[in-house]
């Protein structure tokens, strides 16, 4: 199975409150062969994660209604979503936000500004690591 075929079978939930950035991410991930769903606030993100069971979540930290740290913690406490890899994205710099993200349960933490291509590359890397761990792809 080619990597492109593998990506078409992966569903990514993109969570970002900046409409233009969310659309840019959606288009980039779609062009790269991923199925996507979107959410614009933390409450919607939790609801969609539970309903859609995505393969991975790209989660902004600064969100209305419920911030990304709280979303991550809620998803990690839920048996249905605790296994989903989460890449947190934030404009907050320094080690404190990064540590808070990892402690909340994030798989990875990326500081803005970040290009959509860089996020796609990180998502692919996580999926490749999963495939190797599951024995689906030789190491």
């Amino acid at each position: 199975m080619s990597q492109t075929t593998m990506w078409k079978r992966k569903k990514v939930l993109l969570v970002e409150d900046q409409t233009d950035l969310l659309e840019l991410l959606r288009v980039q991930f779609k062009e790269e062969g991923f199925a996507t769903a979107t959410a614009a606030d933390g409450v919607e993100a939790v609801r969609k994660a539970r309903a859609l069971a995505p393969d991975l979540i790209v989660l902004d930290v600064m969100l209305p209604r419920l911030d990304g740290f709280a979303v991550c913690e809620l998803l990690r406490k839920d048996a249905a979503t605790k296994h989903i890899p989460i890449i947190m994205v934030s404009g907050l710099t320094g080690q404190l936000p990064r540590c808070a993200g990892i402690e909340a349960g994030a798989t990875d933490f990326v500081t803005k500004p970040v290009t959509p291509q860089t996020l796609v590359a990180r998502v692919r890397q996580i999926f490749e690591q999963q495939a190797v761990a599951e024995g689906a792809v030789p190491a």
Side-chain angles (χ1 to χ4, degrees):
M1 175 186 318
S2 73
Q3 284 188 336
T4 303
T5 304
M6 184 180 357
W7 303 147
K8 287 183 180 177
R9 299 167 68 169
K10 298 291 187 180
K11 185 176 4 176
V12 177
L13 175 59
L14 303 168
V15 184
E16 171 62 58
D17 63 323
Q18 294 179 15
T19 310
D20 55 340
L21 179 54
L22 181 59
E23 181 60 15
L24 184 65
L25 291 173
R26 189 194 65 73
V27 167
Q28 182 70 41
F29 274 81
K30 185 177 179 186
E31 286 178 359
E32 297 291 333
F34 293 97
T36 61
T38 60
D41 67 57
V43 173
E44 182 183 15
V46 171
R47 183 181 58 75
K48 284 194 174 180
R50 289 175 175 157
L52 302 174
D55 296 298
L56 185 140
I57 300 169
V58 176
L59 177 64
D60 187 29
V61 170
M62 303 303 289
L63 295 168
R65 298 174 60 192
L66 194 63
D67 71 30
F69 298 121
V71 169
C72 193
E73 288 174 1
L74 284 170
L75 296 177
R76 289 295 178 240
K77 291 177 183 175
D78 187 330
T81 58
K82 68 181 180 182
H83 67 283
I84 301 171
I86 298 172
I87 299 176
M88 294 190 85
V89 183
S90 178
L92 301 172
T93 59
Q95 288 303 310
L96 287 177
R98 179 177 300 279
C99 289
I102 299 303
E103 287 175 4
T107 308
D108 196 359
F109 190 98
V110 179
T111 304
K112 290 179 181 178
V114 61
T115 66
Q117 295 85 355
T118 298
L119 283 175
V120 167
R122 290 204 184 231
V123 167
R124 283 185 172 159
Q125 181 181 34
I126 289 171
F127 287 146
E128 288 170 3
Q129 289 170 347
Q130 283 180 335
V132 168
E134 294 167 0
V137 177

